[in-house]
């Protein structure tokens, strides 16, 4: 079966509740005809309840931007899977490069969060990607191999099939510098190969792998034309209804 494309917005630390309402109301009619693409918005915790209630009955699914590995307890500032699920959250981003860069997230903490997410029934979007320095030193593949083998370790076949991977070269995030479609395709094909070694080729061929990093209405078509690219994780361009809808409707 063909992999269904998934376009997910990552709002990061943007959008107060009032701003979120305006954005979602603007977005709904613009993406309502996207039947062949899964549409997700990953929003700040404080916007989740609003987003879930406004998106009810629409084709937009709601995700969070992180989840705690622990079930509950003394973890000041963290948000648990149960808290997210109770609000109607379906997806969750794990291991975004900004979490790794500013908040000490590691492949092991990514793995711990991921295991909790899948055990609880949240659908994870796990981010991997190399920095500019790593790319220039020809370390892209070794860095990504480790991020994937350690970050996604010990998942059952069923759980890996429910996991979305986002390849986001750190140098392309928020910089306006997109990886070329060939660069993105090459690394994503490599990630699929790593998954094939961890599981089987058949399973690897079913796992959805997105590209992320300055994906926008202008470059989405070319990126999505690549055989291994199954969607996008969209930061900047997800903050404007028109731009995000153009990315979602890349096939129109
Ligand atoms: P960007 O962010 O589209 O603004 O580059 C993507 C991301 O960080 O997920």
């Amino acid at each position: 079966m063909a992999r269904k494309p998934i376009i997910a917005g990552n709002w990061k630390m943007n959008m107060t509740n009032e701003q979120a309402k305006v954005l979602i109301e603007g977005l709904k009619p613009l993406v309502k005809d996207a039947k062949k693409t899964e549409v997700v918005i990953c929003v700040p915790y404080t916007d989740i309840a609003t987003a879930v209630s406004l998106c009810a009955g629409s084709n937009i699914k709601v995700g969070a931007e992180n989840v705690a590995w622990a079930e509950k307890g003394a973890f000041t500032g963290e948000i648990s899977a149960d808290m997210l699920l109770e609000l109607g959250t379906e997806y969750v981003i794990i291991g975004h490069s900004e979490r790794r860069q500013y908040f000490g997230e590691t492949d092991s903490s990514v793995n711990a969060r991921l295991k909790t997410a899948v055990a609880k029934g949240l659908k994870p979007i796990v981010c991997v990607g190399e920095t500019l320095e790593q790319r220039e030193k020809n370390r892209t593949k070794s860095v990504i191999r480790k991020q994937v083998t350690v970050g996604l370790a010990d998942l059952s076949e069923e759980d890996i099939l429910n996991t979305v991977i986002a390849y986001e070269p750190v140098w392309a995030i928020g910089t306006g510098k997109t990886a070329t479609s060939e660069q993105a395709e090459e690394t994503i094909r490599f990630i699929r190969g790593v998954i094939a070694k961890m599981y089987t080729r058949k399973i690897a061929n079913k796992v959805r792998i997105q590209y992320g990093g300055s994906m926008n209405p202008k470059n989405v078509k070319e990126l999505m034309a690549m055989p291994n690219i199954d969607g996008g994780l969209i930061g900047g361009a997800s903050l404007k209804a028109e731009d995000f809808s153009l990315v979602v409707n890349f096939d129109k």
Side-chain angles (χ1 to χ4, degrees):
M1 219 184 76
R3 298 182 299 264
K4 187 174 187 176
I6 172 166
I7 302 287
N10 173 12
W11 287 7
K12 309 193 179 187
M13 197 175 72
N14 294 294
M15 298 289 147
T16 64
N17 226 252
E18 287 307 314
Q19 293 166 335
K21 283 181 198 162
V22 175
L23 177 53
I24 293 169
E25 292 296 12
L27 186 61
K28 279 199 289 189
L30 300 178
V31 299
K32 70 174 182 3
D33 296 324
K35 303 269 187 287
K36 292 191 199 134
T37 300
E38 204 172 343
V39 186
V40 182
I41 51 173
C42 297
V43 307
Y45 298 125
T46 49
D47 291 333
I48 290 176
T50 299
V52 169
S53 106
L54 290 179
C55 294
S58 81
N59 60 333
I60 306 175
K61 296 167 179 173
V62 177
E65 299 177 15
N66 204 356
V67 63
W69 56 76
E71 194 156 331
K72 63 176 178 171
F75 298 93
T76 303
E78 288 284 303
I79 299 285
S80 77
D82 286 339
M83 294 169 182
L84 296 177
L85 287 162
E86 195 180 86
L87 294 181
T89 313
E90 200 170 328
Y91 278 89
V92 63
I93 297 173
I94 297 175
H96 190 276
S97 69
E98 285 145 22
R99 299 294 320 169
R100 296 175 190 257
Q101 190 178 350
Y102 305 125
F103 302 100
E105 207 77 66
T106 65
D107 293 332
S108 316
S109 64
V110 167
N111 186 244
R113 292 183 196 274
L114 174 60
K115 282 178 180 161
T116 300
V118 294
K120 290 286 182 179
L122 284 165
K123 297 178 189 158
I125 299 175
V126 180
C127 304
V128 299
E130 81 287 1
T131 63
L132 185 58
E133 195 193 347
Q134 290 162 340
R135 177 164 279 266
E136 284 173 347
K137 288 185 176 158
N138 268 325
R139 289 179 50 215
T140 300
K141 288 187 175 163
S142 63
V143 166
I144 286 182
R145 185 183 298 112
K146 179 166 173 285
Q147 288 175 337
V148 173
T149 51
V150 179
L152 282 82
D154 307 323
L155 291 195
S156 68
E157 292 187 357
E158 190 190 338
D159 288 340
I160 190 75
L161 290 172
N162 281 321
T163 298
V164 175
I165 300 172
Y167 167 55
E168 299 205 301
V170 177
W171 47 272
I173 295 177
T175 57
K177 244 196 252 171
T178 332
T180 64
S181 43
E182 289 77 20
Q183 280 173 324
E185 168 68 13
E186 187 192 349
T187 313
I188 289 177
R189 195 186 323 118
F190 173 76
I191 293 170
R192 205 175 294 290
V194 175
I195 299 292
K197 284 206 183 94
M198 294 167 73
Y199 297 87
T200 62
R201 174 50 66 180
K202 201 169 157 202
I203 286 181
N205 284 343
K206 289 186 187 164
V207 173
R208 293 186 293 176
I209 310 180
Q210 299 172 310
Y211 167 77
S214 302
M215 203 191 230
N216 61 44
K218 288 205 180 80
N219 57 33
V220 63
K221 260 197 174 52
E222 197 188 323
L223 286 157
M224 290 303 292
M226 292 289 150
N228 279 287
I229 302 183
D230 304 322
L233 187 56
I234 321 296
S238 73
L239 300 176
K240 291 195 184 125
E242 171 86 26
D243 283 358
F244 189 59
S245 73
L246 289 169
V247 175
V248 166
N249 296 317
F250 69 91
D251 56 346
K252 302 262 162 13

